[in-house]
Amino acid sequence: MAKKSGSGGKGTPATVALEAAGVPFTVHAYDHDPAAASYGGEAAQALGVDAERVFKTLVAEVDGALTVGVVPVAGQLDLKALAAAVGGKRAAMADPAAAERSSGYVRGGISPLGQRRALRTVLDAGALDHPTIYVSAGRRGLEVELAPGDLLRLTGAVSAAISRR
């Protein structure tokens, strides 16, 4: 997998973090449609990639602490499983404004990488079934492809079954 910088030569915080870590990755850009019903579904379709390999980054609150769940766009985040994966009791989706403030990214472009404030992160165990996966590169219309093991290492994430169909 070849390294590619973000479009226009200036990367996003996510691609800058990947470059700094020396991790192999590929950036994939597509034309984002503001009317798209699902950011992740749009990415999978635009890139011609199986939706099981494209992952969305969701921010939840687990026992009051912001926590990231990374799940396939074809599924949904199981909040109980997310809470259990980090030793918590209760989870709910975070307020979108809080997620944007914490991550430094806009909704639909939140990447698990290069966040303004590193949060506890859980990657769905299904990611490990693929040699590479796609996650947001930090803005709508931009995805980064990398090995799931590299994502785990760079985010300090744990892997657990946190998605449901």
Side-chain angles (χ1 to χ4, degrees):
M1 192 175 345
K3 275 191 199 180
K4 295 183 183 173
S5 63
S7 58
K10 183 173 187 258
T12 65
T15 60
V16 168
L18 287 165
E19 288 171 353
V23 169
F25 67 97
T26 305
V27 173
H28 300 274
Y30 62 92
D31 291 328
H32 166 63
D33 177 0
S38 160
Y39 297 116
E42 176 192 31
Q45 184 175 19
L47 298 174
V49 177
D50 184 345
E52 293 296 323
R53 287 185 58 212
V54 179
F55 284 69
K56 55 190 170 186
T57 304
L58 301 171
V59 181
E61 276 192 38
V62 177
D63 297 338
L66 292 178
T67 304
V68 172
V70 184
V71 298
V73 300
Q76 294 181 319
L77 177 61
D78 181 333
L79 290 166
K80 281 186 171 187
L82 177 67
V86 295
K89 293 186 184 344
R90 292 169 56 115
M93 292 306 297
D95 175 67
E100 289 179 344
R101 270 193 312 276
S102 173
S103 69
Y105 296 117
V106 298
R107 197 169 62 89
I110 295 178
S111 178
L113 299 156
Q115 292 189 3
R116 181 179 291 150
R117 185 166 64 98
L119 300 175
R120 292 184 299 182
T121 301
V122 181
L123 176 63
D124 184 68
L128 302 177
D129 294 339
H130 307 285
T132 61
I133 60 171
Y134 294 70
V135 296
S136 176
R139 79 174 166 253
R140 296 172 188 156
L142 200 64
E143 294 284 307
V144 64
E145 179 184 2
L146 75 164
D150 288 334
L151 182 61
L152 285 170
R153 186 171 52 79
L154 292 176
T155 59
V158 297
S159 177
I162 59 166
S163 75
R164 61 175 187 239
R165 303 286 171 242

